Amino acid sequence: IDLALSMAMPDTEEIVAIADCRWEDAGCAVASPGHALRKRPCPDPCDTLEVPWAVAPRGTAPFEHVRQAVGLGLPNIVAETRSVTALKNRVAHSGFLTWVAEPMIDAGRRAGVIQPLPIPGLISRRTLTAFRRRRGFLSSPAVKLREALRTLAA
């Protein structure tokens, strides 16, 4: 593997962070525009506990974000998948909630089928970093990706 994207972490013997390829984004709980939680006057994290959730599998960063953000134990998780497309589909068409990075919902937000939930505490910031192999040269496609990531991070 030439490059990897991850949350910030210490360098190891095998990989090293690319200092100028670091950026922040946000993750949030999302629902369809017509979701029942949107009809409540002042929804709070407790209101999300009984609603069905579709999430990334246990042990992944998004799963941990759900667990920590709700802060009251795990919500009603009825589906787990690594497919962001499947998660967004469950939200848009089946009344589920999910947790995704905001950039992952841009197209759905523009199409009016998925939007962040306006519940205090259900948004978290994260720092992403690009890492490279400590030894060896980067392939030409990896160099192009690194340059694109530098532009994104600037």
Side-chain angles (χ1 to χ4, degrees):
I1 296 175
D2 288 332
L3 295 176
L5 302 178
S6 177
M7 306 267 292
M9 60 185 226
D11 295 346
T12 69
E13 287 187 26
E14 291 88 25
I15 63 168
V16 61
I18 303 170
D20 57 351
C21 288
R22 194 170 271 147
W23 65 96
E24 258 193 23
D25 72 2
C28 58
V30 296
S32 66
H35 196 280
L37 282 179
R38 294 188 189 281
K39 295 180 177 100
R40 294 189 183 176
C42 297
D44 67 35
C46 292
D47 296 327
T48 68
L49 291 176
E50 297 304 317
V51 177
W53 283 71
V55 299
R58 294 171 197 274
T60 63
F63 183 91
E64 289 304 311
H65 282 297
V66 169
R67 189 179 60 76
Q68 292 169 6
V70 175
L72 305 165
L74 287 173
N76 180 21
I77 297 171
V78 298
E80 293 182 19
T81 179
R82 292 187 182 276
S83 169
V84 174
T85 301
L87 292 173
K88 292 189 297 187
N89 191 330
R90 296 284 63 83
V91 168
H93 303 292
S94 302
F96 284 65
L97 303 182
T98 196
W99 184 275
V100 293
E102 282 190 326
M104 303 292 251
I105 62 165
D106 284 345
R109 184 185 290 170
R110 285 191 305 272
V113 297
I114 188 171
Q115 297 173 349
L117 274 173
I119 298 177
L122 289 187
I123 295 177
S124 71
R125 307 284 312 159
R126 65 181 182 169
T127 300
L128 295 170
T129 305
F131 292 85
R132 64 161 285 148
R133 284 182 285 114
R134 193 178 283 275
R135 294 173 194 77
F137 294 100
L138 290 178
S139 66
S140 178
V143 169
K144 289 177 185 174
L145 176 58
R146 182 191 62 198
E147 295 311 311
L149 292 171
R150 283 184 169 145
T151 301
L152 173 71

